[in-house]
């Protein structure tokens, strides 16, 4: 009896040790530190932005919250410390690559070029690159931007697309990089730029929350085909990606996933 009990204890210890050894990459980091760091955006409405209490909220933040809940359950934590780290279009990929953040909860386009540097979970929105102008400017199409000063956010796919279109069409636009979406929109608001090129859903959010929504027009013309957003994570970390993918898939298939979407996109 004693020998059997000892054998069972040894076997249990072996399983526990094996389980611990199986954790790699980000999962191992989270297990050892008891914390996870989320990257958030300050003005990517309605995906990730600061509310009136200067706390990050939004659709992507809610998705990340559900991922954290699932990871906490998988790692058998009673409590998982969530740290928050602001990122911009220019800093989000470097901060992911160097381990500063573990998930980027924002409005980041998932494309082939970025997949060489980072990974993504399942898409949470599809958008296209358009531009906002003042209604009084009477700008109807991309060609009407010829010779004008436009702005886009530094480090975004949008500024690259605008630059490529500028060269291909010979538009002679002056393209200014802004540090974030709020600064870029302000440049149009204060007439320092004729247009702000960005994802249409981001522009729509900025127009809706501006002082005079009727003063702005979101273009019909687009600088890109529709592109998907995804929560960003580190490359070559299959165990963590599997855990995140499972959490997101479960959320999307649940009534809770529909409720979160409706909260940010259809609620009055």
């Amino acid at each position: 009896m004693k020998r059997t009990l000892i054998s069972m204890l040894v076997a249990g210890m072996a399983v526990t040790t094996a389980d611990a050894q199986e954790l790699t990459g980000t999962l191992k980091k989270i297990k050892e530190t008891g914390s996870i760091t989320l990257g958030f955006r300050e003005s990517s409405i309605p995906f990730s932005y600061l509310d009136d209490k200067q706390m990050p909220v939004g659709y992507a933040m809610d998705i990340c919250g559900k991922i954290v809940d699932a990871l906490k359950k998988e790692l058998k934590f009673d409590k998982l410390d969530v740290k928050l780290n602001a990122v911009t279009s220019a800093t989000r990929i470097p901060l992911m690559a160097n381990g500063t953040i573990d998930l980027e909860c924002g409005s980041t386009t998932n494309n082939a070029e970025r997949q060489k540097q980072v990974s993504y979970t399942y898409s949470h929105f599809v958008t296209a690159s358009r531009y906002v102008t003042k209604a009084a400017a009477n700008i109807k199409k991309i060609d009407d931007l010829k010779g004008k000063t436009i702005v886009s956010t530094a480090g975004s796919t949008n500024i690259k697309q605008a630059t490529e279109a500028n060269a291909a069409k010979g538009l002679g636009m002056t393209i200014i990089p802004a540090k974030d979406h709020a600064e870029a929109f302000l440049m149009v608001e204060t007439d320092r730029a004729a247009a702000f090129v960005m994802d249409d859903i981001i522009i729509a959010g900025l127009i809706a929350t501006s002082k005079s929504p009727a003063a702005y027009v979101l273009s019909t013309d687009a600088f890109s085909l529709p592109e998907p957003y995804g929560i960003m994570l580190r490359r070559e970390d299959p165990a963590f990606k599997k855990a995140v993918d499972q959490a997101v898939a479960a959320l999307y298939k649940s009534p809770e996933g529909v409720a979160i979407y409706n909260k940010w996109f259809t609620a009055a």
Side-chain angles (χ1 to χ4, degrees), residues 20-41:
Q21 289 174 343
E22 285 172 6
L23 289 180
T24 59
T26 306
L27 283 178
K28 182 180 180 182
K29 174 187 173 184
I30 294 170
K31 184 71 173 181
E32 290 176 348
T33 63
S35 67
I36 184 169
T37 303
L38 308 182
F40 69 90
R41 304 294 295 275

Side-chain angles (χ1 to χ4, degrees), residues 36 62-72 80 103 121 231 240 243-244 247-248 251:
I36 184 169
D62 282 357
I63 293 173
C64 280
K66 296 304 175 184
I67 295 171
V68 171
D69 289 344
L71 292 173
K72 183 168 67 174
L80 180 56
L103 292 171
T121 187
I231 303 297
F240 186 58
V244 172
V248 173
L251 175 64

Side-chain angles (χ1 to χ4, degrees), residues 36-42 44 47-48 59-61 63-64 67 85-97 100-110 114 118-121 124 181 229-234 240 244:
I36 184 169
T37 303
L38 308 182
F40 69 90
R41 304 294 295 275
E42 296 185 343
S44 286
F47 298 93
S48 181
Y59 180 50
M61 291 301 297
I63 293 173
C64 280
I67 295 171
N85 196 108
V87 300
T88 67
S89 295
T91 64
R92 56 191 167 180
I93 290 178
L95 290 176
M96 176 62 69
T100 300
I101 59 174
D102 302 311
L103 292 171
E104 192 262 340
C105 316
S107 52
T108 298
T109 302
N110 179 357
R114 285 180 175 159
V118 294
S119 187
Y120 295 85
T121 187
H124 58 264
H181 304 330
Y229 284 165
I231 303 297
M232 189 170 66
L233 47 150
R234 267 178 290 284
F240 186 58
V244 172

